[in-house]
């Protein structure tokens, strides 16, 4: 190897000079204030989106529970109509759960639209349409359940309507 490769540069005092970047002398390591502010802003934005998503999910869970409970009340009411007393055309109203759920039941004779002109036999069984509406909270479009069903009533041999 050549001798020039092994030489080191020394100053007049025999010391090897240490080169330092002059721009780094006054600056310490770490983050600047603007970097910290941007990081906090991004964190706040991410938390806002996360909390908004969780809030929407909790509203949907509550709505689902309310709608499920309304459906159970409606099914229970429809199961009892015409069981203890004969079906009578008309309208009835009531409440479930201390007024949280309100219902309206409309009972009316039903005729088949395909055979609307055919005469009714006096001893024939009668079909009734049951239209049940259940509302909760303010009764808005998403807080309403409407059901329709048909119920077969035995013939009234005494001449009255059952």
């Amino acid at each position: 190897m050549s001798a020039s490769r092994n030489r080191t540069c020394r100053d007049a005092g025999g010391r090897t000079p240490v080169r330092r970047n002059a721009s780094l002398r006054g600056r310490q390591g770490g983050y600047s204030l603007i970097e910290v502010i941007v990081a906090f802003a991004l964190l706040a934005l991410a938390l806002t989106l996360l909390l908004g998503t969780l809030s929407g999910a909790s509203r949907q869970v509550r709505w689902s529970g309310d709608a499920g409970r309304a459906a159970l009340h409606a099914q229970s009411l429809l199961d009892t109509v015409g069981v203890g007393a004969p079906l009578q055309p008309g309208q009835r109203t009531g409440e479930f759960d201390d007024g949280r759920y309100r219902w309206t039941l409309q009972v009316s004779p039903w005729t088949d639209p395909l055979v609307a002109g055919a005469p009714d036999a006096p001893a024939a069984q009668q079909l009734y349409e049951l239209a049940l509406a259940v509302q909760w909270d303010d009764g808005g479009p998403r807080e309403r359940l409407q059901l329709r069903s048909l119920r077969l009533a035995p013939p009234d041999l005494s001449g009255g309507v059952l």
Side-chain angles (χ1 to χ4, degrees):
M1 295 205 180
S2 77
S4 65
R5 269 191 178 174
N6 292 336
R7 284 190 196 166
T8 57
C9 224
R10 298 184 189 268
D11 64 357
R15 295 175 290 175
T16 306
V18 178
R19 295 184 181 190
R20 291 189 181 161
N21 191 349
S23 65
L24 292 178
R25 284 186 193 165
R27 185 173 179 189
Q28 296 179 357
Y31 297 103
S32 69
L33 180 61
I34 191 74
E35 291 171 331
V36 171
I37 291 173
V38 168
F40 276 124
L42 289 175
L43 180 64
L45 178 66
L47 286 176
T48 301
L49 293 175
L50 177 67
L51 291 176
T53 302
L54 292 176
S55 172
S58 68
R59 275 193 304 271
Q60 287 178 344
V61 166
R62 181 173 179 253
W63 176 84
S64 176
D66 288 343
R69 192 158 179 97
L72 288 174
H73 285 308
Q75 181 180 5
S76 174
L77 182 64
L78 286 176
D79 286 344
T80 61
V81 171
V83 173
L87 283 173
Q88 294 289 331
Q91 181 172 332
R92 295 179 10 206
T93 60
E95 297 176 342
F96 295 117
D97 285 349
D98 298 325
R100 178 167 166 76
Y101 297 93
R102 298 163 311 281
W103 58 268
T104 303
L105 176 66
Q106 179 72 37
V107 179
S108 57
W110 187 79
T111 56
D112 188 354
L114 298 177
V115 291
D120 291 335
Q125 292 181 331
Q126 175 68 46
L127 271 176
Y128 287 94
E129 179 181 24
L130 308 176
L132 177 63
V134 179
Q135 297 177 349
W136 61 95
D137 291 339
D138 294 332
R142 292 183 45 93
E143 298 165 343
R144 185 178 309 150
L145 176 67
Q146 295 181 344
L147 301 171
R148 293 189 179 275
S149 179
L150 294 176
R151 185 69 48 93
L152 187 62
D156 182 12
L157 300 177
S158 66
V161 176
L162 288 180

